[in-house]
Amino acid sequence: EIVMTQSPATLSVSPGERATLSCRANQSVSSKLAWYQQKPGQAPRLLIFGASTRASGIPARFSGSGSGTEFTLTIGSLQSEDFAVYYCQQYNNWPPRALTFGGGTKVEIK
Amino acid sequence: EVQLVESGGGLVQPGGSLRLSCAASGFTFSNYWMSWVRQAPGKGLEWVANIKQDGSEKYYVDSVEGRFTISRDNAKNSLHLQMNSLRAEDTAVYYCARESGSYDYWGQGTLVTVSS
């Protein structure tokens, strides 16, 4: 089973600053990695797929990088609407299954 | 516009059953794998089950294998999750999601509470 580990669990950032979130896999997932944003009471929203491709409508301040086992989500200049929980998810063995998520990183206002 | 709308959640006693549904619109439903993903209160996301475009392949997380059944009706653009022998640890918001490897569209979720 592929296990995804996100760090830190909580990230305190001031508006306008850059945020860097990490996601690590216990084995290679190639570039089959996605990032999601979730705000309280809402469904997750796809931000990045293929490790670095922004989904439709996602602002350019969101960028993803990495391959293999180490991945990073960078938010270039935090806006008020960016404070949320972020999840990574691997889909290296899809289809059919084994779509595993990381535990999440909460980005909070400093 | 792609829309996924879940229904069927509610309060059920341990050992009980519930059937969730997801109505899909705005895309060719029969072209996509579909999933159920859940989120326990205050916790992270957990994939529960998925189903191939024609329903010929179905997969489950170990914790629900033998208790939950995923199905779909491509003629009605609908996805279902039959949940039997429910346990307290199944309490969660259940989302249906369209798979493209990643989950590019999600429903708003339906809350399932298992409690006596």
Side-chain angles (χ1 to χ4, degrees):
Chain A
E1 179 189 357
I2 299 177
V3 177
M4 308 302 294
T5 303
Q6 291 186 241
S7 61
T10 303
L11 186 61
S12 297
V13 186
S14 299
E17 290 188 341
R18 171 186 298 240
T20 302
L21 289 66
S22 295
C23 175
R24 174 177 293 178
N26 66 342
Q27 59 185 275
S28 177
V29 298
S30 184
S31 294
K32 302 296 182 63
L33 185 104
W35 289 94
Y36 301 87
Q37 177 194 67
Q38 188 179 34
K39 297 178 182 179
Q42 296 185 17
R45 177 176 70 146
L46 177 66
L47 298 176
I48 301 285
F49 63 93
S52 60
T53 302
R54 278 190 303 276
S56 176
I58 302 303
R61 64 180 181 273
F62 291 92
S63 63
S65 63
S67 66
T69 61
E70 300 282 344
F71 300 89
T72 300
L73 175 70
T74 301
I75 311 173
S77 174
L78 271 159
Q79 308 297 303
S80 57
E81 62 267 28
D82 300 335
F83 292 96
V85 179
Y86 293 82
Y87 294 95
C88 63
Q89 174 237 331
Q90 68 80 22
Y91 51 99
N92 187 54
N93 294 324
W94 181 89
R97 59 174 296 174
L99 300 151
T100 49
F101 292 92
T105 291
K106 180 179 181 180
V107 177
E108 64 176 23
I109 300 174
K110 186 174 182 180
Chain B
E1 178 193 7
V2 172
Q3 283 198 316
L4 298 169
V5 179
E6 301 94 338
S7 60
L11 175 64
V12 61
Q13 292 188 340
S17 298
L18 216 52
R19 178 178 166 88
L20 306 184
S21 296
C22 172
S25 61
F27 66 102
T28 304
F29 181 71
S30 59
N31 285 354
Y32 290 87
W33 282 78
M34 296 293 296
S35 261
W36 289 98
V37 177
R38 68 184 177 184
Q39 187 170 37
K43 302 297 184 183
L45 301 167
E46 179 184 41
W47 167 78
V48 174
N50 64 351
I51 185 168
K52 194 177 180 179
Q53 291 93 329
D54 61 359
S56 61
E57 296 181 37
K58 306 174 185 182
Y59 299 91
Y60 303 90
V61 69
D62 288 349
S63 59
V64 309
E65 185 86 53
R67 300 188 298 122
F68 290 12
T69 302
I70 190 172
S71 62
R72 66 192 296 162
D73 184 337
N74 287 343
K76 295 183 178 179
N77 292 337
S78 61
L79 178 72
H80 305 283
L81 186 68
Q82 177 66 43
M83 304 187 295
N84 298 331
S85 303
L86 282 160
R87 306 167 180 167
E89 54 265 36
D90 297 318
T91 294
V93 174
Y94 285 73
Y95 297 99
C96 72
R98 189 178 85 170
E99 288 188 22
S100 298
S102 57
Y103 297 110
D104 55 359
Y105 288 96
W106 299 67
Q108 85 288 351
T110 188
L111 176 63
V112 172
T113 303
V114 184
S115 174
S116 55

